[in-house]
Each structure stands twice: as structure tokens, then as C-alpha cells.
Amino acid sequence: MPGTATAPDETTVGIIGGGPAGLLLARLLHRAGIDCVVLEGRDRAYVEQRQRAGILEQGTTDVLRACGAGERLDREGLVHDGIELRYDRRAHRLDFPSLTDGRRVTVYAQTEVVKDLIALQLAAGPPLLFEARAQAVTGADTDRPRIHYTHDGRERTLACRYVAGCDGFHGVARQAIPQSARRTYTRTYPYSWLGVLADAPPSQDELVYAHSPRGFALLSMRTPAVSRLYLQVPNGTDPDDWPDDRIWDELAARTALDTAPWKLARGPLTAKAVLPLRSAVTEPMRWGRVLLAGDAAHIVPPTGAKGLNLAVADVTVLARALTQWHRTGSTKPLDAYSATCLRRVWRAEHFSHFMTTTLHTAPDQSDFDTRLQLSQLDRIAGSWHAAAELAENYTGLPLS
Ligand code: RFL
Ligand code: PHB
């Protein structure tokens, strides 16, 4: 049976999208006593299995814990105190707690965050409708915006006081902002990632970000028995051109070290996909009574591990603003929502762009460009200040 609830006609906050942004917002609003409905276009299995992010900032884990979604995260999440940078066949470790005010990150897959939030919501939370696809939002500049959606083969309308567009990069909520009032800033990159999941224990304790003349590689993990691995590949790459052995050989070549013995543990690959890299920011993030959050408003290339964390930061700010409005009638924090979020968004955009362009090799890259990258990496390895700048951004700026 599609969906898990009957379809209501009205609510206080209509949330489009049951990814991390929409689900967490629903949880935060529910705890503040604000009623809401989540409309998710896909089915539950699809949403719970979509392979995405793996790194949670400390601020993100704090928010998840505070809203009651931290139990399994605390049991199964892998707390990491640093990352390793590899370049020039050498390794340099960045120790986050000593480079920041004690901050760490947690490896806990987005699939698991989503499963935890769905379970909470289905147990006690506001309605969550699967296979409920929003077609359009009308009346954004009135006090009763409406979401037009299809569910169970029927066309329906949800009247709201506010609409939260948490429907990701390809969603419809953004279009509620008139084209003349909206601007999207974008950057595409001349390379993609080939991402794989492997039934192989991680060969290293922490994540490895590797710069090499053959291109970028990233060694990450999901559990003590499952590795998540990425290779820079040309745009338009067909994953079928990459049989498993070729992937393992290339990962080994790009992460090879002269300074220490190093062997990559291999195992069967269970998923394989090519992902384009893009940066985009839509401004403003609010129009009338429609508020955008997460990938609906901005995306980053995954090199900085920021996308999910930004989505969590947005909805934390949004839930506070809606709570204030609900309790006091004041719209001041809602009026400030876009500007408040965009300050953090642009910082994360800058950091993600910096990590991406420092670590990847562009198809037209000159030797001069490569020397600049290596000089930058040396600077990070040799200067506490340069390393601290990276560590502060990676572990996440405090939510203010
Ligand atoms: P999502 O997750 O895309 O969820 C949007 C939801 O909206 C639904 N939807 C609709 N529902 C109803 N009606 C419509 N018309 C709809 N249109 C869409 C969709 O089905 C979906 O369920 O956006 P959200 O919630 O904003 O969350 C954002 C994150 O998913 C994303 O930023 C991260 O995954 C990015 N990211 C990473 N972020 C990190 O913080 N750390 C990482 O380590 C990290 N690694 C990654 C990543 C993204 C990756 N890919 C695939 C781009 C690694 C990768 C490979
Ligand atoms: C992941 O584990 O999927 C991951 C980790 C770090 C990144 C991107 C993706 O920068």
C-alpha cells in the first residue's frame, strides 16, 4: 500500500520531500508542538536505500541526539578524530580535536539517518506520505500557500500556513519563487566521481583524501566491514567500463605511498555509480510563505562532506524560526531565515570548491596548476594555521 497515512487537506507546515531535510524538520516541529505533513515522492525502500553522504559534523550529531534520533547513531556511528591527506606518495594526518576546540566527526551513513527518522515519524510523528509527489506550489505570497500533489492515483491539495521545500536539487518548490525574484549561481566541474560500496574492511582507521597524477581518490567507510570508495573519472563515464579489478587497481595506484607499507584490502563490490560534481546556490531561500532547505536551495561537490550537514543546519534554523512564529506570532526569525542560512551556505560552498579544486586533476590542468596544488597541500601539512582552517571547516562551524 503506498503511503502510511490518509491524506489530510490542511496543515500548519507542509513539507515537500522526505530526505534528511524534510524528515528532520518534521521531527523538530513535532517536538515543538507544530503540526505538519511530509509528502515524499518515492517509496520508503527507495528513500532508505539511496547511497549518499557518510560524514556527520558534530553539530549534526548534536541536533540528531537532541531530537531523540541519536540512539543507534551513538551505538553504531564511528567517531573520527581526523582525516589523512595523501599527495606526492606521502601521507599527512590532520588531528581535528587539537586543531579545533575539540571537534570530531562521525561516520554514519545518510541511509541510516533516514531510516532512524522514518522509524520515529511512523511510530509517533506527524503524517508521512510516500509516493506523494508534489506537482506545484501556488499562493506563495498569500497566507494560505497550497501544495498540489498526487497520491494513490488522485490529485490532491494541501493548504498550509507555511510550505517547506525540502525536495532536493530536482524538486518543484524552488519554482514557487518567481523567476524574476530568484537567482541561481552555479559551477560545474570537468570531472565526476565513480562511487562504490565494497564488502571489504576499511584498510585505514580514518578517511583518506588522495591527490595523485592519476586523479583524486577517496577511501571512506560505512561499517568496520564495509568500505565506501570513490575515484575521480571523466564526465560521461559509463560505470560498465570499470570492472571491479580495474577499480581496485586504480584505487591502489592513486593511494600508493613511498613512506610506509600500504595495502588496500579488496572484496566484492555491491554498488557502483557515477556522480557528476556541481555547485549551486539559489537565492533567496524564502519567498512569501515558501522556505527552501537543503539541496532544494544549494548543492556542493561532495569533496568537503558538507551537503547533508548544510541541510541539517538549514532545518535547525527553520524549525527555530517557525517555533518562534507559532509561540509568539513574530515573523522576525522567518524574515531573517534566508540571510542567516546563506552565510553558512556560502562558507560551505567555498570550502567544498577549495577541497575539490585542490585535490582533483582537471583535464586541461597544466604542470603549473599541479605545482600550486602541491604547494597548497604542503602548506596545510606544514602550518598549524592552514591545517586549522581546513579542520574548522571540515568539522563544521558552530550553529549560531
Ligand atoms: P534529498 O536527500 O535529495 O531529499 C529530497 C527528497 O525530496 C523528494 N522529492 C519529492 N517529494 C515529493 N514531491 C516532489 N516533487 C519531490 N521531488 C523530490 C526526493 O525523493 C527526496 O527523498 O535532499 P535533502 O533532504 O536536502 O538532503 C541533502 C543530502 O541528501 C545531500 O546534500 C547529501 O547527500 C550530499 N552528500 C554528502 N553530504 C554530507 O554532508 N556529507 C557527505 O559525506 C556527503 N557525501 C553526498 C555525499 C552526496 C552524494 N551524491 C550522491 C550527490 C556523497 C555523494 C556521493
Ligand atoms: C562518504 O563516506 O560517502 C563520503 C565521505 C567523505 C566525503 C564524501 C563522501 O567527502
Side-chain angles (χ1 to χ4, degrees):
M1 189 183 94
T4 54
T6 47
D9 301 329
E10 59 181 336
T11 187
T12 306
V13 181
I15 301 174
I16 311 176
L23 292 168
L24 180 60
L25 179 62
R27 179 81 191 150
L28 295 171
L29 294 181
H30 177 61
R31 284 172 75 91
I34 302 173
D35 94 295
C36 59
V37 173
V38 181
L39 305 175
E40 165 55 49
R42 303 285 193 153
D43 64 30
R44 181 176 178 181
Y46 181 91
V47 173
E48 289 189 340
Q49 275 150 36
R50 192 167 36 195
Q51 280 306 319
R52 292 267 185 106
I55 293 283
L56 307 183
E57 293 174 1
Q58 191 156 320
T60 298
T61 52
D62 290 346
V63 170
L64 290 170
R65 249 177 236 124
C67 74
E71 197 199 310
R72 198 159 66 93
L73 164 70
D74 282 334
R75 226 176 34 242
E76 296 177 16
L78 309 170
V79 176
H80 281 196
D81 279 354
I83 55 169
E84 196 180 293
L85 295 177
R86 288 193 186 180
Y87 61 99
D88 213 11
R89 300 175 70 87
R90 290 179 282 142
H92 179 77
R93 177 172 184 270
L94 297 178
D95 183 67
F96 292 152
S98 63
L99 289 164
T100 63
D101 56 354
R103 295 190 155 247
R104 308 177 147 85
V105 294
T106 303
V107 176
Y108 189 66
Q110 181 167 326
T111 46
E112 307 314 298
V113 174
V114 164
K115 280 181 206 160
D116 294 346
L117 289 170
I118 288 177
L120 283 171
Q121 179 141 351
L122 294 182
L128 162 59
L129 275 65
F130 290 105
E131 298 178 73
R133 175 150 289 273
Q135 309 297 336
V137 179
T138 55
D141 52 358
T142 70
D143 63 3
R144 279 282 154 165
R146 284 164 198 277
I147 305 172
H148 304 270
Y149 69 101
T150 49
H151 183 242
D152 260 346
R154 293 177 56 187
E155 307 217 335
R156 296 182 174 275
T157 302
L158 182 65
C160 317
R161 302 297 301 278
Y162 282 94
V163 171
C166 302
D167 48 351
F169 186 56
H170 301 287
V172 297
R174 200 166 43 231
Q175 284 148 30
I177 306 178
Q179 204 147 22
S180 57
R182 138 169 71 101
R183 179 149 181 209
T184 300
Y185 301 85
T186 55
R187 166 73 44 103
T188 55
Y189 297 86
Y191 30 73
S192 302
W193 280 14
L194 175 67
V196 300
L197 266 182
D199 282 337
S203 309
Q204 72 299 331
D205 294 334
E206 294 174 335
L207 270 61
V208 172
Y209 288 81
H211 175 285
S212 94
R214 306 172 70 96
F216 171 73
L218 170 60
L219 309 180
S220 180
M221 61 196 71
R222 286 292 173 264
T223 69
V226 175
S227 295
R228 177 76 169 146
L229 309 154
Y230 298 97
L231 284 171
Q232 173 189 341
V233 291
N235 285 343
T237 292
D238 179 352
D240 291 342
D241 290 342
W242 284 83
D244 296 9
D245 281 347
R246 182 178 177 204
I247 292 175
W248 287 115
D249 290 347
E250 193 60 32
L251 284 165
R254 292 186 191 184
T255 54
L257 291 174
D258 286 339
T259 48
W262 159 251
K263 192 153 166 46
L264 192 58
R266 300 186 180 204
L269 300 186
T270 55
K272 201 186 286 186
V274 170
L275 328 149
L277 269 57
R278 266 186 303 241
S279 304
V281 181
T282 295
E283 297 188 6
M285 287 172 61
R286 172 194 178 207
W287 179 259
R289 286 180 175 249
V290 174
L291 302 120
L292 304 178
D295 279 17
H298 41 71
I299 51 168
V300 285
T303 330
K306 285 283 155 265
L308 170 60
N309 294 296
L310 271 184
V312 169
D314 286 352
V315 296
T316 305
V317 173
L318 182 51
R320 282 183 195 155
L322 286 165
T323 303
Q324 179 91 346
W325 161 77
H326 192 247
R327 289 199 179 139
T328 68
S330 166
T331 60
K332 236 173 146 187
L334 284 170
D335 296 339
Y337 171 72
S338 180
T340 304
C341 289
L342 284 169
R343 271 193 295 279
R344 186 188 191 84
V345 166
W346 277 111
R347 178 89 298 283
E349 289 288 344
H350 183 274
F351 176 66
S352 304
H353 177 269
F354 164 79
M355 288 289 280
T356 302
T357 53
T358 301
L359 290 165
H360 291 70
T361 303
D364 61 350
Q365 183 156 315
S366 68
D367 291 347
F368 185 85
D369 297 331
T370 305
R371 302 300 297 175
L372 287 182
Q373 289 178 324
L374 293 172
S375 161
Q376 181 62 36
L377 290 163
D378 258 341
R379 170 83 185 146
I380 294 164
S383 153
W384 186 91
H385 292 282
E389 173 65 8
L390 193 156
E392 263 194 40
N393 281 282
Y394 193 93
T395 56
L397 305 174
L399 252 183
S400 56

